[in-house]
Amino acid sequence: MTEKNQWDNSISFIFAMIGAAVGLGNIWRFSYVLYSNGGGAFFIPYFIAIIIMGIPFLILEYGVGFSFKESFSKILKKIDGRLEIIAWILVLFVFIVVIYYMVILSWDLVYLLTSFSFGWGADTAAYFTNTVGGSADLAKGGIFLVPTTICVILMWIVLWYVSHKDVEKGIGKVSKVLIPALFIIMAIIVIYALTLPGHMIGIDALLRPKWSMLLDINIWLAAFAQIIFSLSMGQAIALTYASYLPKASKLTDNVLIVVASNSAFEIFTAFGVFSILGYMSLNSGMALSKLVTEGTGLVFIVFPMIFNVMGTMGRILAPLLFLAILFAGITSALGFFEPMLSSTSSKFGLSRKKTATILSIVGCIFSVLLTTGISSYLVAIIDSFVNEFGILLLIGVQCIIFAWIYGIDHFIPILNENGILKVGTKWKFIIKYLLPIALFVMWAYGIFVLFTSSATFEIIIDLVIIVAVIALGFILTKLSPREAESE
């Protein structure tokens, strides 16, 4: 680890970690999950999931990265040479996340540029389907959505430009600008939303507790899944970022700052989202339940429809919202890109600049292939499979590797050296027993649902991903490492 490949201080690391955690899911997924899983009652499993999963596992990742000061692939190879392939399989899955994530960001960039003229027109659903995100009509798979294709190339250029620099000058510097800007923009949107007539209709619907749902296992699975994907757990992002930390860093304290920032942001944002939905419900006479939808439907169809009827403020809020999504997405994409960049550069002795260039070209090509007339359909298939099959399983595998094969006691002195929060017996129990069991139960349930509800085309895509990732993981493991070249 060279000095120039380190954070200058913990502030850069904290902003980068917040940037990796606070992403698109915090803006458009959490409010829907909260609303559809018991309202106010959902906070009970949500905070339990943070305490017994989010914080303990992030502490483990910080401890591993800081202890080894190596890329993820080298860490597993040092523990046991036979484990290296697991590292490559995980970073490949996370690299796939970058590929489709950049497509979603390209949709947002199209909307950001369109928001100044409201070019989406009155029929916002038709605009998204025909111009930006496509549909599930396989007959349109050979047609490229040109605005999306152009914007995805632009987004990859931005990602390359930031990532090819040393971490402090690239990711660190950008995160320290974009994260405060993101929080300020979102504060403006939410505070204004809370002044809209009808905002309490939305907030009441969001927070009204359905206590009986606490007896439903699905609300608990939803809470744990939200924490896993909201905090980007187990994707080697925290581990890789922590490997760049300077000496005497307060690891456990940093975990609490990142987790608190992430949760505060998504809860705060949910108030804004549902305040705006409440306003639309009051003005249109449409039941709020008809407006509530998850993900892209909410941001790219429902919200533009709302902005259309808001008048002057809609012209101000629309660009702000899409700019906030862009900032959140860029900082998260940098995090998703880093594990593959770090592992590839480390193993093959390539400079960071050369590795970032090669991976950006490869990633951009695959992202462009996802900008056809079935863009949103393909992204949804890949997103569901990569997260529920690949990443979820590999988080559980990491618990076993670091806690059982390597030995969790190795990390405790390092974690307790400088931080106020100390770890011990309870933390060891969670990592060694509770977390692996919970993760494998969630994985088994998710796979059952995934494959029993998937169409033939979707299963084919899933199988192609499995074969490609395992084959590439095997090849990358077997290739001989090289000495590092000079920057």
Side-chain angles (χ1 to χ4, degrees):
M1 180 69 63
T2 61
E3 286 299 317
K4 63 181 176 180
N5 207 29
Q6 288 187 352
W7 307 114
D8 283 354
N9 49 58
S10 290
I11 298 299
S12 298
F13 168 73
I14 289 170
F15 274 116
M17 277 304 307
I18 292 173
V22 174
L24 306 181
N26 299 73
I27 295 174
W28 68 38
R29 185 176 188 271
F30 176 75
S31 57
Y32 176 83
V33 171
L34 174 59
Y35 169 79
S36 58
N37 286 281
F42 179 75
F43 285 116
I44 293 176
Y46 174 77
F47 285 113
I48 289 175
I50 288 175
I51 292 168
I52 70 173
M53 176 179 283
I55 292 173
F57 194 85
L58 279 184
I59 288 174
L60 175 65
E61 288 197 273
Y62 284 23
V64 173
F66 188 76
S67 298
F68 282 91
K69 296 286 186 183
E70 295 280 6
S71 66
F72 188 49
S73 60
K74 276 198 173 180
I75 290 173
L76 291 200
K77 186 175 182 180
K78 280 188 174 183
I79 293 173
D80 188 327
R82 294 169 296 181
L83 298 175
E84 185 184 355
I85 189 171
I86 294 175
W88 284 112
I89 288 173
L90 176 66
V91 298
L92 283 166
F93 270 124
V94 178
F95 186 59
I96 292 172
V97 174
V98 187
I99 289 169
Y100 71 74
Y101 207 82
M102 296 300 279
V103 177
I104 300 173
L105 282 184
S106 72
W107 301 342
D108 179 73
L109 182 56
V110 172
Y111 273 83
L112 174 60
L113 298 173
T114 307
S115 66
F116 297 100
S117 63
F118 280 21
W120 49 67
D123 191 344
T124 57
Y127 178 78
F128 179 75
T129 300
N130 298 328
T131 307
V132 184
S135 66
D137 183 359
L138 297 181
K140 296 180 179 179
I143 302 170
F144 281 94
L145 301 168
V146 176
T148 302
T149 305
I150 293 171
C151 285
V152 92
I153 294 170
L154 292 175
M155 291 311 306
W156 270 106
I157 292 172
V158 170
L159 188 73
W160 167 82
Y161 180 75
V162 177
S163 293
H164 88 281
K165 298 182 177 182
D166 300 324
V167 290
E168 178 63 38
K169 295 178 181 177
I171 299 170
K173 187 175 181 179
V174 168
S175 298
K176 284 188 284 189
V177 172
L178 294 191
I179 294 305
L182 168 63
F183 278 61
I184 291 169
I185 292 170
M186 195 53 68
I188 293 170
I189 294 172
V190 174
I191 290 169
Y192 176 76
L194 291 170
T195 69
L196 291 170
H199 72 277
M200 283 307 300
I201 296 173
I203 292 176
D204 179 66
L206 176 69
L207 297 181
R208 189 185 304 125
K210 303 177 184 68
W211 300 113
S212 61
M213 289 189 70
L214 290 174
L215 300 175
D216 185 350
I217 189 175
N218 287 302
I219 188 177
W220 293 85
L221 292 173
F224 278 76
Q226 176 64 27
I227 295 305
I228 289 170
F229 301 125
S230 178
L231 290 173
S232 300
M233 280 175 50
Q235 299 178 32
I237 299 171
L239 184 152
T240 304
Y241 278 178
S243 72
Y244 304 142
L245 276 169
K247 295 178 180 179
S249 297
K250 297 180 178 181
L251 301 177
T252 53
D253 296 357
N254 289 341
V255 168
L256 295 182
I257 294 170
V258 171
V259 172
S261 300
N262 178 74
S263 293
F265 180 86
E266 63 186 10
I267 293 170
F268 183 68
T269 300
F271 278 78
V273 169
F274 268 76
S275 292
I276 294 172
L277 291 176
Y279 163 82
M280 185 63 178
S281 177
L282 178 67
N283 273 267
S284 66
M286 189 183 301
L288 188 133
S289 58
K290 300 282 188 183
L291 294 169
V292 178
T293 184
E294 185 178 11
T296 55
L298 174 67
V299 172
F300 298 128
I301 296 175
V302 175
F303 267 50
M305 181 172 66
I306 295 172
F307 293 140
N308 282 344
V309 301
M310 285 186 77
T312 303
M313 278 309 298
R315 301 269 174 185
I316 298 172
L317 289 182
L320 285 177
L321 175 66
F322 295 118
L323 187 63
I325 293 171
L326 190 69
F327 286 175
I330 288 172
T331 53
S332 292
L334 290 168
F336 292 130
F337 192 55
E338 191 64 23
M340 189 70 187
L341 173 56
S342 171
S343 291
T344 306
S345 174
S346 176
K347 171 146 188 174
F348 299 109
L350 299 173
S351 67
R352 184 178 178 87
K353 183 175 182 179
K354 183 178 289 186
T355 309
T357 302
I358 294 169
L359 292 178
S360 295
I361 292 170
V362 172
C364 185
I365 290 169
F366 280 101
S367 291
V368 166
L369 294 176
L370 296 179
T371 62
T372 66
I374 56 170
S375 180
S376 57
Y377 182 47
L378 286 173
V379 166
I381 295 170
I382 298 169
D383 175 57
S384 178
F385 180 72
V386 166
N387 283 298
E388 295 202 15
F389 175 83
I391 292 174
L392 196 57
L393 174 63
L394 289 165
I395 297 173
V397 170
Q398 287 177 72
C399 284
I400 294 171
I401 291 172
F402 297 129
W404 291 94
I405 297 175
Y406 181 71
I408 198 168
D409 289 325
H410 287 93
F411 305 115
I412 292 178
I414 295 167
L415 290 167
N416 289 339
E417 185 175 359
N418 297 302
I420 297 172
L421 176 65
K422 307 297 182 183
V423 297
T425 306
K426 292 178 182 177
W427 178 70
K428 286 170 59 177
F429 174 78
I430 290 171
I431 299 297
K432 292 183 74 171
Y433 301 101
L434 192 58
L435 219 49
I437 293 171
L439 288 163
F440 286 125
V441 168
M442 289 177 63
W443 177 78
Y445 179 81
I447 290 304
F448 173 77
V449 172
L450 189 68
F451 281 100
T452 54
S453 62
S454 297
T456 303
F457 177 75
E458 295 168 10
I459 292 174
I460 291 171
I461 296 292
D462 295 343
L463 292 175
V464 168
I465 293 172
I466 291 175
V467 172
V469 167
I470 292 175
L472 281 172
F474 181 80
I475 292 169
L476 289 167
T477 302
K478 292 299 181 183
L479 287 174
S480 299
R482 289 173 50 193
E483 292 296 323
E485 65 182 28
S486 58
E487 292 286 341

